[in-house]
Amino acid sequence: MGSPWKGFVEFTLPASPPTAFVSADLSSTSPVGLSLSPYGRSMSFDPGMLHNNGHTAYANGTGPGIRETGLVEKLLTSYGFIQCSERQARLFFHCSQYNGNLQELKIGDDVEFEVSSDRRTGKPIAVKLLKIKPEVLPEERISGQVGPDLHAYPFTVLHGYIHPVVSSIPVHLDGKSAPGQAPTGSVCYERNGEVFYLTYTPDDVEGNIHLDTGDKVSFYMDTNKQHFSTGAVSARNIQLVKKKQMRCQGVVCATKEAFGFIERADVVKEIFFHYSEFKGDLEALQAGDDVEFTIKDRNGKEVATEVRLLPQGTVIFEDISIEQFEGTVVKVIPKVPTKNQNDPLPGRISSRIGFNDKELPFGEKDTKSKVTLLEGDHIQFNISTDRRDKLERATNIDILPDTFDFTKETREMGVIAAIRDGFGFIKCVDRDARMFFHFSEVLEESQLHISDEVEFTVVPDMLSAQRNHAVRIKKLPKGSVSFNTQSEQRFMGVVEKEVVATNAKNASPTKVKEKEAEEGVIAYEDCGVKLTVPYHNKDIEGGGYPQAGDKVEFSINEVKRTGLQSAVSVRVLNRNASNAKRLIGFVATLKDNFGFIETANHDQEIFFHYSEMCGDLENLELGDTVEYTLSKGKGNKVSAEKVTKVAAVNGISEDVEATVMMGKVIRPLRSVDPSQTEYQGLIEITEEGATKGPNYPFGIMGMSNKADGLQKGELVKFHVCTVAQTGQKMASNVVPQRRAMVECVKDQFGFITYEVGESKKLFFHVKEVQDGLELQTGDEVEFSVVLNQRTGKCSACNVRRVSEGPKPVATPRPDRLVNRLKSITLDDASAPRLVIVRQPRGPDNSKGFNVERKTRQPGVID
């Protein structure tokens, strides 16, 4: 550790040597190379004595005599005793050893002597005594410094100094010390080239201020009355002249183009610093870094100099309580601060802590989330105490779940209608307009998705008084939000007007809205009053498509927001006899705006347009059972109209044989190959030893996976069944047997070597791979082929790995490339240079690489 003191030596004394060591009250010191005045200490040393390991020399030949000082404690006719000043010892002396007039020697006189040993007993005695004349204390005020802390410890380190230094009374003593002792420090001053040390106590300092090591002071010298036996001198009436310049700590709170500001750790204050005063990598300096610095006065203002980085976490401004408290928000932070608002902690929380009611401030950074706080909120928080000014504030504020029982806010409900990057919109139950919200207003940090049901509070936008937005959003369980109220009572009525579908034949199924079709009307009676209510196709239940004159049963639904009523859960009771016959079929093909229905006999397909569909097209899938009516259009072409989805019935509800047959597709369905005239596909039995077997037709309902587009030539497994209406034998439960090799795998997709139509490769997505395995090139897989009815393209699904392919072997580099790499030298001035345009950053915005980078040998593959 570096020391500010120049030209000194340092050595250590053991805790219990034969001679004394420096004590806490500064009244004694080691005799090793040290001479003292009667009232102070002048530190000088004899290099020859540094090898005696701290032992005094006696008259037994161990070394030359050392002069010590002491006080005559007892004096008789021919002998006396001396109390040593430098150590706790009492030495005998004979009057013959006194050099001077024995009549002038009195008890209490200061004497100087050498230590020898009694020849008979071997005990130490004092010889060659000289009386010391008392020094007259100067009355003028002396300038000096507070000296180094010399409180005694088991090992005490002594320093010889050329320049004076200081030591204060330790702050940790807080005015307390061992029983019977007062806490002491030392001051030093220089006179005639020698440095003298004087003790002092807190009572000797004027102004009741605390002195720090290095402070410049002025004082008077005075005899220490507590040590009258030794005549020791102490400092009194100490006045502070100048505080020592100390290193301070803080945190960088702002950085500008050429300067910045530091928040100090000792006082609640910011201090300016220029970048030229920063000792380190300026590129690495950023707001939030811990630093230390020295304060200097420039042009009448304090500035930070010699700024250096400290380890992160060194500077701590506040202490946060472990215990959590509950309270109530009594004042919220305004969203738009006023011009006169200077309070950094404008919020207020009321809480009962212990037996007292307490009001604590808080700021914007003291909340755990960005959810809006309202007055009356029931919250939970910790208490933070600033170490600099002991200011207490609430922090880690979190809204408790029961807060809505305490606040007077009006809660509304709705459904998430749209989500964007960081914000979204809510479809409200009680409002027409969609309500804007920000993700920061979501409680409990729950992830929101479209169609999620939520509860929220509506507040006006501070920037635009005409706009509102949703805050304090809470996710609700499914089924909590309802936009309509439906009557429990069932009504009976007659269809007065049936729904007329739109004539937009080219409309996309996803764009066909109910508002594009005219409403149907049902007439009914309620309490003797004749009423009418509208209905829509989507509200029809069962297989009946209501027509004019049909008797129906229904419930009444009322929209909460508008109060409009309509008939729902409409069920046909008695159909008008004049209505056309309704047929049953199965959805075989779905295109962009039309489809085909497989007949009940599974041998033909009937065209239908989506405008003739009664109900929600989004829920219509391949294989669904539908009810329809046949009609003829231009050119006597037959098509289905008034198509209604009904409850599922067995596709081929006839006898199914248990035997599993193997076969090959010799003709696909017309949905796979539109160029063929026949609707049905055809499977040929493949038997061992036989070239050809019987053929069995199949339709969409005969396939195990309705979306599987069976191609010509594919091998399949199936059962044989008999259609009840016609007695025809058909293939059912058809399952393809496909195996092929993985040709390549990209990031999220790949291709299988399998011929489908004109393409010799089959696309697949990695999500379709079963068990989450990572496929490699050459792996053998089983899969199903799915035909996209709208695009006509095929892809693989339910991909399952059967066996792994050979592991790829790294191809060695060519010799010509290896030789070239070995011949390249980094010191070649003509070689291309690498210029770093931008420093690399990791996903967490950290600089550099986590993995240690090593030098790679040319031609060697790791």
Side-chain angles (χ1 to χ4, degrees):
M1 179 176 177
S3 172
W5 306 313
K6 301 178 181 178
F8 67 89
V9 296
E10 178 176 301
F11 55 94
T12 305
L13 293 179
S16 57
T19 56
F21 55 85
V22 178
S23 62
D25 60 1
L26 304 183
S27 61
S28 61
T29 185
S30 169
V32 180
L34 190 65
S35 62
L36 297 98
S37 71
Y39 56 88
R41 289 171 179 76
S42 171
M43 287 196 173
S44 60
F45 62 91
D46 181 359
M49 291 301 298
L50 296 178
H51 303 285
N52 291 337
N53 199 22
H55 294 276
T56 56
Y58 296 96
N60 54 10
T62 58
I66 301 300
R67 302 294 290 177
E68 292 190 31
T69 59
L71 188 73
V72 176
E73 184 185 54
K74 187 175 183 181
L75 184 61
L76 301 178
T77 304
S78 58
Y79 66 93
F81 290 90
I82 297 174
Q83 177 66 44
C84 297
S85 300
E86 290 82 10
R87 53 195 174 100
Q88 296 294 329
R90 188 170 180 264
L91 300 179
F92 169 87
F93 75 92
H94 196 273
C95 291
S96 61
Q97 294 294 326
Y98 178 68
N99 186 5
N101 187 358
L102 191 60
Q103 299 298 326
E104 297 178 356
L105 187 63
K106 299 178 182 178
I107 295 175
D109 287 346
D110 291 321
V111 292
E112 189 180 51
F113 57 91
E114 290 183 8
V115 178
S116 183
S117 59
D118 193 306
R119 295 178 181 178
R120 292 183 298 115
T121 62
K123 295 182 178 180
I125 61 174
V127 297
K128 300 180 182 180
L129 276 71
L130 282 175
K131 184 177 180 180
I132 301 174
K133 294 182 179 180
E135 185 171 345
V136 180
L137 300 180
E139 289 299 327
E140 75 275 8
R141 180 173 286 275
I142 300 173
S143 296
Q145 287 182 285
V146 182
D149 185 15
L150 295 181
H151 285 263
Y153 294 97
F155 287 90
T156 304
V157 180
L158 299 182
H159 302 273
Y161 307 96
I162 291 177
H163 296 292
V165 289
V166 242
S167 164
S168 62
I169 297 174
V171 180
H172 66 272
L173 292 177
D174 294 330
K176 299 178 182 179
S177 60
Q181 296 182 358
T184 60
S186 63
V187 295
C188 65
Y189 68 98
E190 184 180 354
R191 176 169 291 182
N192 298 329
E194 292 184 298
V195 179
F196 299 93
Y197 288 79
L198 304 177
T199 60
Y200 76 95
T201 65
D203 296 335
D204 295 322
V205 182
E206 294 184 356
N208 193 25
I209 61 175
H210 176 75
L211 299 178
D212 295 316
T213 300
D215 290 347
K216 292 185 178 181
V217 294
S218 65
F219 57 89
Y220 291 104
M221 290 190 295
D222 193 12
T223 301
N224 193 335
K225 301 299 187 298
Q226 296 181 357
H227 298 85
F228 65 90
S229 60
T230 63
V233 176
S234 62
R236 63 177 175 84
N237 301 106
I238 300 174
Q239 294 180 353
L240 177 65
V241 176
K242 184 179 180 181
K243 294 290 290 184
K244 178 191 174 183
Q245 195 173 36
M246 299 180 65
R247 297 285 286 173
C248 299
Q249 293 182 343
V251 174
V252 178
C253 59
T255 54
K256 305 297 182 182
E257 185 175 351
F259 59 91
F261 292 90
I262 300 171
E263 185 175 358
R264 293 171 56 175
D266 53 343
V267 293
V268 184
K269 188 178 181 181
E270 292 181 2
I271 188 169
F272 168 91
F273 76 98
H274 195 271
Y275 287 166
S276 60
E277 293 291 344
F278 180 71
K279 310 301 180 184
D281 183 10
L282 193 59
E283 295 294 331
L285 184 66
Q286 56 186 356
D289 286 344
D290 294 353
V291 292
E292 66 172 0
F293 54 92
T294 301
I295 299 177
K296 288 188 178 179
D297 194 327
R298 289 181 181 172
N299 298 327
K301 293 183 179 180
E302 289 184 339
V303 297
T305 61
E306 299 180 19
V307 182
R308 299 182 186 274
L309 278 176
L310 292 174
Q312 201 68 19
T314 302
V315 181
I316 300 176
F317 290 108
E318 57 193 16
D319 298 312
I320 298 178
S321 65
I322 299 176
E323 182 184 0
Q324 288 189 319
F325 303 90
E326 293 185 6
T328 304
V329 177
V330 295
K331 182 181 178 183
V332 297
I333 301 174
K335 291 290 184 182
V336 180
T338 59
K339 295 182 179 180
N340 299 327
Q341 181 181 327
N342 297 321
D343 188 0
L345 304 173
R348 293 293 182 270
I349 289 174
S350 176
S351 177
R352 187 167 185 82
I353 301 175
F355 298 99
N356 300 319
D357 291 331
K358 204 168 189 178
E359 189 172 277
L360 298 170
F362 69 93
E364 290 184 359
K365 297 181 180 180
D366 291 319
T367 55
K368 276 190 174 181
S369 65
K370 298 298 182 182
V371 176
T372 301
L373 288 177
L374 298 178
E375 291 184 5
D377 267 339
H378 188 206
I379 50 93
Q380 181 176 265
F381 62 94
N382 298 91
I383 294 180
S384 171
T385 305
D386 197 308
R387 292 183 175 184
R388 298 168 292 182
D389 58 0
K390 306 304 178 184
L391 174 67
E392 290 185 340
R393 77 174 198 277
T395 189
N396 296 333
I397 300 171
D398 197 12
I399 299 176
L400 293 174
D402 62 349
T403 186
F404 303 113
D405 299 333
F406 293 85
T407 58
K408 298 179 181 179
E409 59 189 305
T410 301
R411 301 289 284 173
E412 297 187 18
M413 292 191 293
V415 175
I416 302 297
I419 289 180
R420 302 288 186 267
D421 186 14
F423 64 93
F425 294 90
I426 301 173
K427 181 182 179 182
C428 305
V429 172
D430 301 319
R431 298 172 185 261
D432 292 330
R434 296 195 305 177
M435 193 64 60
F436 171 87
F437 74 94
H438 198 274
F439 284 174
S440 61
E441 290 290 347
V442 180
L443 292 168
E444 302 172 359
E445 299 182 357
S446 55
Q447 189 76 19
L448 291 183
H449 303 88
I450 293 178
S451 300
D452 281 348
E453 300 176 10
V454 292
E455 182 184 58
F456 55 93
T457 301
V458 177
V459 297
D461 195 326
M462 293 295 177
L463 301 178
S464 176
Q466 290 76 24
R467 295 176 54 188
N468 295 327
H469 62 274
V471 298
R472 302 157 66 87
I473 300 168
K474 180 180 179 182
K475 190 174 179 180
L476 298 176
K478 286 291 184 182
S480 302
V481 178
S482 175
F483 290 87
N484 309 292
T485 56
Q486 185 171 325
S487 64
E488 296 181 0
Q489 180 183 358
R490 297 285 287 177
F491 297 89
M492 306 288 287
V494 177
V495 176
E496 190 174 89
K497 177 185 177 184
E498 60 185 86
V499 176
V500 179
T502 178
N503 293 324
K505 296 291 183 182
N506 296 324
S508 172
T510 57
K511 296 181 180 179
V512 175
K513 305 296 182 181
E514 289 297 333
K515 64 181 181 180
E516 297 177 358
E518 295 184 11
E519 297 175 335
V521 178
I522 298 174
Y524 71 104
E525 287 188 5
D526 184 17
C527 300
V529 179
K530 291 184 178 182
L531 302 171
T532 59
V533 62
Y535 75 95
H536 302 87
N537 284 340
K538 65 182 181 64
D539 297 319
I540 299 171
E541 292 183 352
Y545 184 86
Q547 297 180 5
D550 288 348
K551 188 176 182 180
V552 293
E553 182 185 39
F554 60 93
S555 299
I556 293 180
N557 178 75
E558 182 177 332
V559 180
K560 290 182 179 180
R561 185 175 65 254
T562 60
L564 294 177
Q565 292 184 341
S566 62
V568 295
S569 302
V570 181
R571 183 182 298 274
V572 178
L573 298 179
N574 296 323
R575 186 171 297 281
N576 192 341
S578 62
N579 289 341
K581 183 180 179 181
R582 303 284 287 172
L583 302 175
I584 295 293
F586 312 96
V587 177
T589 306
L590 292 173
K591 297 293 185 180
D592 281 341
N593 52 15
F594 64 92
F596 289 91
I597 298 172
E598 182 182 281
T599 61
N601 293 333
H602 316 291
D603 56 353
Q604 292 182 4
E605 61 180 358
I606 306 296
F607 170 88
F608 76 99
H609 195 273
Y610 287 158
S611 60
E612 296 291 342
M613 181 65 197
C614 176
D616 190 0
L617 277 168
E618 296 297 328
N619 297 327
L620 193 63
E621 297 178 356
L622 293 175
D624 283 349
T625 305
V626 294
E627 189 181 56
Y628 62 96
T629 302
L630 289 178
S631 66
K632 289 186 179 181
K634 293 182 180 179
N636 289 328
K637 291 184 177 180
V638 178
S639 63
E641 63 179 17
K642 300 179 181 179
V643 182
T644 306
K645 183 177 177 180
V646 296
V649 298
N650 293 331
I652 301 179
S653 58
E654 295 76 16
D655 233 358
V656 178
E657 298 179 6
T659 305
V660 178
M661 311 292 287
M662 301 294 295
K664 183 172 71 172
V665 177
I666 60 175
R667 187 178 71 204
L669 291 173
R670 190 158 60 187
S671 58
V672 176
D673 184 8
S675 62
Q676 67 187 33
T677 57
E678 297 85 356
Y679 161 70
Q680 290 179 319
L682 204 60
I683 298 175
E684 181 183 62
I685 296 292
T686 57
E687 298 178 353
E688 296 183 3
T691 57
K692 289 187 178 181
N695 299 335
Y696 293 98
F698 68 94
I700 189 69
M701 299 305 294
M703 296 173 58
S704 179
N705 181 5
K706 306 297 186 295
D708 205 342
L710 290 178
Q711 303 292 321
K712 183 178 180 180
E714 286 193 303
L715 298 178
V716 294
K717 292 191 302 185
F718 64 95
H719 295 268
V720 176
C721 68
T722 304
V723 180
Q725 293 91 332
T726 62
Q728 183 185 19
K729 290 187 177 293
M730 298 184 65
S732 72
N733 299 329
V734 181
V735 179
Q737 302 296 302
R738 299 187 181 101
R739 283 196 179 188
M741 296 295 184
V742 176
E743 181 179 275
C744 63
V745 179
K746 304 294 183 181
D747 184 22
Q748 295 292 325
F749 61 92
F751 291 92
I752 299 172
T753 306
Y754 189 78
E755 187 173 352
V756 181
E758 297 178 357
S759 176
K760 295 185 179 181
K761 294 189 295 184
L762 184 63
F763 171 88
F764 72 93
H765 197 278
V766 293
K767 292 181 180 179
E768 294 293 342
V769 181
Q770 295 182 1
D771 302 327
L773 299 176
E774 293 186 6
L775 296 181
Q776 304 291 336
T777 301
D779 289 350
E780 186 178 13
V781 293
E782 286 184 349
F783 53 92
S784 299
V785 176
V786 177
L787 174 65
N788 189 319
Q789 298 279 356
R790 292 182 171 85
T791 63
K793 294 182 179 180
C794 295
S795 62
C797 67
N798 300 327
V799 182
R800 184 177 67 87
R801 185 169 67 188
V802 178
S803 61
E804 294 188 36
K807 298 294 182 182
V809 180
T811 305
R813 290 182 174 178
D815 292 339
R816 57 180 177 78
L817 181 57
V818 173
N819 294 333
R820 174 170 174 78
L821 291 174
K822 288 182 177 180
S823 65
I824 294 176
T825 59
L826 298 178
D827 298 331
D828 188 1
S830 62
R833 296 295 180 182
L834 177 65
V835 180
I836 299 177
V837 179
R838 176 180 61 82
Q839 290 290 343
R841 290 180 180 270
D844 56 352
N845 206 28
S846 61
K847 292 184 178 180
F849 298 91
N850 293 329
V851 181
E852 181 181 359
R853 305 187 72 185
K854 299 180 180 178
T855 304
R856 185 183 62 78
Q857 299 298 327
V860 179
I861 300 177
D862 294 336

